Amino acid sequence: ADLAAGGALWFPDLTSPDPTWILPICLGLTNLLIVEVFSLQRVNPSRFQKVVTNSIRVFSVLMIPIAATVPSSMALYWFTSSLVGFSHNIVLRSPAIHKFLKLQTVRSESPYRDLLSAFISKYCK
């Protein structure tokens, strides 16, 4: 009973699927964004890495219709979990975080600029 009246915004009933497909599409896009951030780190990926990356891309797209059929509460959980994972990936790129956590990995001093330039060179040619 609490889930049926506990939604927000466009999904007031968490027990029914999202009729607008906003949550499923956001979930799919967030998962694709995570995959692309990881793929941009690879300079010369092996054939196996390319196959795995493309498989995960396909799975991310397939998650959209799957998330559209489950209750909104499940799609909201998956979307929130993906956002937290993406946030962790972005925050852990920061040189300030590496210094604060005393991580011994060699990182660029401008990781976000490097990520943006890799994205532009890969997709905006």
Side-chain angles (χ1 to χ4, degrees):
D2 290 337
L3 288 177
L9 303 174
W10 68 92
F11 50 97
D13 182 3
L14 290 171
T15 61
S16 65
D18 182 4
T20 62
W21 283 54
I22 293 173
L23 282 174
I25 290 172
C26 288
L27 170 65
L29 291 176
T30 304
N31 286 337
L32 279 174
L33 190 60
I34 292 168
V35 172
E36 294 310 312
V37 166
F38 274 112
S39 73
L40 291 173
Q41 295 179 79
R42 305 276 184 225
V43 177
N44 291 319
S46 68
R47 187 172 193 283
F48 177 73
Q49 288 173 329
K50 289 179 184 177
V51 168
V52 169
T53 301
N54 288 331
S55 300
I56 296 171
R57 284 179 180 131
V58 169
F59 182 72
S60 295
V61 172
L62 288 176
M63 279 300 294
I64 295 172
I66 293 170
T69 61
V70 299
S72 294
S73 58
M74 183 67 74
L76 180 63
Y77 171 75
W78 288 342
F79 174 56
T80 305
S81 177
S82 292
L83 278 179
V84 169
F86 178 69
S87 300
H88 286 160
N89 288 325
I90 295 299
V91 167
L92 287 175
R93 289 177 176 273
S94 169
I97 296 295
H98 277 251
K99 288 177 187 172
F100 178 76
L101 297 175
K102 298 178 182 162
L103 298 176
Q104 299 298 321
T105 57
V106 178
R107 293 284 182 171
S108 169
E109 289 300 316
S110 59
Y112 305 118
R113 196 171 308 138
D114 296 344
L115 187 62
L116 180 62
S117 65
F119 180 83
I120 289 171
S121 68
K122 184 173 181 178
Y123 295 110
C124 298
K125 285 185 177 180

